[in-house]
Amino acid sequence: MSEPETIVIIGAGVIGLSTALHIQQYLSPNQSVLLVARDFPSDTSVNYTSPWAGAHYRPVPGSSPQVIREANQAQRTYEFMKRVAAHEPAAGVKFVQGIEHLEAPPREYEDAESLRNAHAGLDEYRRLSSSEVPSGVKWGIQYKTWVLNSPVYIAYMLRKFILKGGRTRQYVLGNLKEGFFLERNVRTVVHCSGLGFEDPKSFIIRGQTCLVRNPVSATITRQNKDGTWSFCIPRPLDGGTVIGGTKEPGNWDPNPSMETRATLLANAKKWFPFTLESGGEFDVIRDIVGRRPAREGGMRIEVEKMNDGRQVVHAYGAGGRGYEISRGVAEDTVALMLENGLLREKAAL
Ligand SMILES: Cc1cc2nc3c(=O)[nH]c(=O)nc-3n(C[C@H](O)[C@H](O)[C@H](O)COP(=O)(O)OP(=O)(O)OC[C@H]3O[C@@H](n4cnc5c(N)ncnc54)[C@H](O)[C@@H]3O)c2cc1C
């Protein structure tokens, strides 16, 4: 038998964990996986995005290559989340009604093909008539979608990874190539660090939300006339409700703004149907600030061959959609690894 080989995965966010779990299904008997990261679920650094996400799935219409690729990944993730919600209650995933209200719909919301790219496959999808939407709203839809409790979901994935034989190591890499030296025989490093290592195309999008105790039964997203967004996301397993949120490219401020909190809550009070027990006021648990790891043109999912025959498989730059596209990204990354002979063809189910 050949020398045991370790596949090193860098990053324990939703992308690294989803990819690690999928890779485990295709390992040869002499391969194992080591998950290396600066932050793991239970860590709460502002530079570790995954625990701060809402998170819900809201399809994004459009016709650019990035939007079309992400729509396809998101559709596969939607089907996957149905199975998780049905069979794995500890994952913290639940299907609820998703509602969208837009005051000034951008062009892609009026284009049938752009809409089809994003909305195909959504259960119980329907356009809302003008009498069904609140005043000021020009465009509305509803559909069945998933919401999840992000800290619970990543902790569940990590647990599952370890139960299936995966190993972990907390370590901060200064350079991606360090990954090849973390164990004896590493030929493949799978790179899921979120922002990448000095990739000039990478940038952050700051997001501020507010976690409240008040329950709500649906996830509602409202686009305001000034281009800002308001949303509420119920977090399953008694995780409260996330009220959001901002999208601020290039803003590195780690501190929550009290002014932003006041605006988010005032909008949520106007527009979202919190249940009677809220008493008309919000019971705040905490403000959340996170940095979405974005990349111009979207995620980099690509194999890079080193001069010595070793390979880096990149999967980073998910921006504001890491959960929504997570399963699709994991599948695409594994497909690339199979094509390049880095995993065995037949899944070891
Ligand atoms: C407020 C907010 C709301 C959001 N809502 C949603 C939502 O509703 N739906 C949705 O799909 N997405 C949402 N997102 C986006 C989502 O959170 C991100 O897309 C996702 O978390 C990115 O995951 P990731 O694994 O790529 O990165 P991360 O979660 O940041 O993980 C990166 C990993 O790489 C490790 N790492 C980085 N550098 C090094 C190094 N040098 N050495 C070792 N390890 C390293 C880190 O420690 C970490 O383990 C939201 C984000 C924010 C901030």
Side-chain angles (χ1 to χ4, degrees):
M1 184 140 146
S2 51
E3 188 186 355
E5 179 201 342
T6 302
I7 295 174
V8 167
I9 301 180
I10 310 296
V14 64
I15 297 297
L17 287 163
S18 305
T19 306
L21 281 172
H22 202 45
I23 285 175
Q24 280 180 315
Q25 308 205 337
Y26 292 87
L27 294 176
S28 303
N30 70 333
Q31 289 179 312
S32 66
V33 183
L34 176 69
L35 186 65
V36 178
R38 182 190 59 218
D39 314 280
F40 280 91
S42 81
D43 289 320
T44 52
S45 155
V46 68
N47 291 313
Y48 179 34
T49 318
S50 293
W52 306 120
H56 67 175
Y57 171 38
R58 190 186 74 80
V60 178
S63 49
S64 71
Q66 177 183 348
V67 171
I68 290 171
R69 191 174 61 241
E70 289 179 0
N72 177 280
Q73 290 163 336
Q75 279 150 8
R76 283 180 278 150
T77 307
Y78 183 73
E79 292 304 316
F80 172 73
M81 289 299 185
K82 283 185 197 170
R83 299 196 291 278
V84 175
H87 302 295
E88 313 235 16
V93 178
K94 189 176 172 190
F95 274 73
V96 298
Q97 190 163 79
I99 297 170
E100 293 185 30
H101 291 152
L102 274 68
E103 289 187 356
R107 229 163 10 118
E108 56 270 24
Y109 283 81
E110 304 294 358
D111 175 63
E113 198 182 325
S114 293
L115 287 178
R116 220 177 9 255
N117 289 340
H119 295 157
L122 288 171
D123 293 338
E124 297 173 33
Y125 173 88
R126 90 184 167 81
R127 184 86 183 247
L128 298 173
S129 67
S130 54
S131 64
E132 291 176 292
V133 296
S135 77
V137 170
K138 294 227 166 63
W139 187 97
I141 52 171
Q142 70 175 42
Y143 47 85
K144 262 288 197 273
T145 193
W146 53 261
V147 290
L148 60 76
N149 186 329
S150 48
V152 169
Y153 185 64
I154 53 175
Y156 146 85
M157 284 198 289
L158 177 61
R159 221 162 45 233
K160 210 167 158 166
F161 169 75
I162 291 169
L163 280 170
K164 288 185 168 189
R167 291 171 292 121
T168 61
R169 175 164 171 193
Q170 196 143 25
Y171 185 81
V172 183
L173 285 89
N175 186 295
L176 196 49
K177 290 184 185 149
E178 261 185 281
F180 291 107
F181 300 96
L182 295 180
E183 289 219 339
R184 237 177 85 80
N185 183 22
V186 181
R187 289 191 291 132
T188 309
V189 168
V190 183
H191 170 210
C192 309
S193 74
L195 267 184
F197 284 74
E198 293 169 14
D199 180 339
K201 290 187 173 172
S202 291
F203 63 100
I204 55 137
I205 304 175
R206 180 183 185 275
Q208 182 173 334
T209 60
C210 188
L211 180 64
V212 300
R213 290 190 177 82
N214 313 56
V216 70
S217 60
T219 179
I220 308 170
T221 304
R222 179 165 172 135
Q223 178 240 34
N224 310 309
K225 246 197 270 17
D226 63 2
T228 62
W229 295 84
S230 303
F231 55 81
C232 61
I233 306 177
R235 275 186 164 178
L237 301 180
D238 294 327
T241 300
V242 168
I243 291 180
T246 67
K247 292 180 187 172
E248 305 161 70
N251 182 349
W252 286 89
D253 186 352
N255 306 303
S257 144
M258 287 307 107
E259 205 184 324
T260 299
R261 180 213 272 201
T263 306
L264 296 178
L265 295 185
N267 285 344
K269 191 169 168 178
K270 261 191 291 185
W271 292 322
F272 302 145
F274 281 90
T275 49
L276 288 177
E277 60 251 57
S278 70
E281 293 305 325
F282 288 105
D283 186 0
V284 173
I285 299 171
R286 61 165 297 161
D287 299 292
I288 287 175
V289 174
R291 293 175 177 153
R292 303 173 180 95
R295 188 169 178 274
E296 284 164 33
M299 277 193 84
R300 181 178 183 196
I301 303 182
E302 180 177 275
V303 171
E304 185 184 356
K305 295 191 174 151
M306 307 278 131
N307 291 337
D308 57 8
R310 296 194 276 199
Q311 316 207 30
V312 175
V313 185
H314 297 282
Y316 66 90
R321 308 198 67 193
Y323 284 85
E324 297 181 329
I325 60 176
S326 55
R327 175 64 177 199
V329 168
E331 288 176 357
D332 291 349
T333 306
V334 164
L336 264 186
M337 293 176 75
L338 289 168
E339 260 171 50
N340 284 273
L342 305 175
L343 292 171
R344 72 172 180 187
E345 278 298 331
K346 203 166 173 327
L349 296 169

